[in-house]
Amino acid sequence: MKKIFFKLKPVVVLLLSLIMLFLTSCGILKTKEVHGKELKKLSDDALFERVYLQTLDVVESFPDEETAFSNISIEQKTVYILSIYDMEIQNGGLCQFFVNSSRSLAPYIEDNLNKIGATEHKKLFTEFIENNNIDVNNLDSFIISDVEEYEAQTKRYDFDSFDKKYIELPTLQSYITEYIKTNIEKF
């Protein structure tokens, strides 16, 4: 029973984060900004969620990601990029990350995984893109318009193997949370 709970915990946290993201992006739920000492009082899960949602609000206040990335801190950019990457993989796998608009973040993944010390995650991602000759700076071949095209994309590479290995690694959220704690003054 314990094994099932620990495997479900990341899924539950992800689902709650996605619900919060949806409610916030629709304007139904506004996040109160919390900084400094107040952030330090939060549990790890609450800290991650709060910083991620605050960062998302900041990014969405700009007309596009490129403008946002020019105006936010390196730390906010790191949390944003890796949180989106992790949520996409937790929700639908690496293929989903590549076919969704989140693929625009792919060129930043390796450096940011390295920045937060997620070396096993970086190695997994790097090996996958190198072994499959994927150019993260040109992912136009992953653009889809319907379910059939998505199904075809899932068969292009061994995404299932990547996803299985990803889930077996320590959670990326734990690395992101430690990064937030180390740089708490930037949030």
Side-chain angles (χ1 to χ4, degrees):
M1 185 68 174
K2 275 186 175 179
K3 279 187 174 182
I4 292 172
F5 173 75
F6 285 112
K7 288 186 184 236
L8 286 178
K9 184 178 178 190
V11 174
V12 170
V13 170
L14 173 66
L15 288 174
L16 290 175
S17 295
L18 289 173
I19 290 168
M20 295 293 289
L21 172 63
F22 173 75
L23 293 174
T24 303
S25 65
C26 292
I28 296 169
L29 180 66
K30 294 288 182 191
T31 57
K32 175 188 167 233
E33 287 197 20
V34 178
H35 301 283
K37 291 179 185 177
E38 291 180 62
L39 283 174
K40 290 179 182 179
K41 294 177 187 177
L42 300 174
S43 70
D44 284 359
D45 287 341
L47 174 65
F48 170 80
E49 184 176 324
R50 175 62 62 182
V51 169
Y52 170 68
L53 290 175
Q54 285 179 189
T55 302
L56 184 64
D57 285 347
V58 171
V59 170
E60 289 180 346
S61 71
F62 292 96
D64 55 56
E65 279 180 350
E66 186 177 325
T67 305
F69 287 175
S70 298
N71 288 284
I72 64 175
S73 72
I74 292 168
E75 295 79 10
Q76 288 172 310
K77 185 177 171 183
T78 297
V79 168
Y80 174 79
I81 290 166
L82 293 180
S83 296
I84 299 290
Y85 170 72
D86 186 50
M87 282 190 246
E88 288 281 19
I89 294 174
Q90 294 284 344
N91 184 43
L94 184 62
C95 185
Q96 178 175 299
F97 173 74
F98 284 144
V99 300
N100 284 349
S101 61
S102 56
R103 75 179 155 273
S104 67
L105 303 175
Y108 307 106
I109 298 301
E110 291 177 278
D111 287 342
N112 282 285
L113 288 171
N114 195 47
K115 187 183 298 178
I116 68 167
T119 55
E120 294 173 82
H121 287 269
K122 181 182 183 274
K123 181 180 179 203
L124 180 64
F125 183 77
T126 301
E127 286 177 358
F128 187 86
I129 62 171
E130 286 177 357
N131 291 341
N132 293 292
N133 297 317
I134 296 172
D135 178 0
V136 294
N137 294 297
N138 181 5
L139 297 172
D140 290 348
S141 68
F142 285 96
I143 296 172
I144 62 167
S145 59
D146 58 38
V147 174
E148 289 80 25
E149 289 179 6
Y150 177 76
E151 288 174 4
Q153 291 288 352
T154 64
K155 295 175 180 140
R156 283 178 65 189
Y157 306 106
D158 189 6
F159 288 111
D160 290 340
S161 177
F162 175 94
D163 297 342
K164 184 177 186 261
K165 291 174 186 172
Y166 187 90
I167 297 300
E168 292 171 354
L169 293 174
T171 66
L172 188 55
Q173 182 177 322
S174 64
Y175 286 99
I176 297 168
T177 302
E178 288 305 312
Y179 178 78
I180 292 168
K181 288 179 182 179
T182 302
N183 298 284
I184 199 99
E185 70 283 350
K186 303 290 184 172
F187 301 100

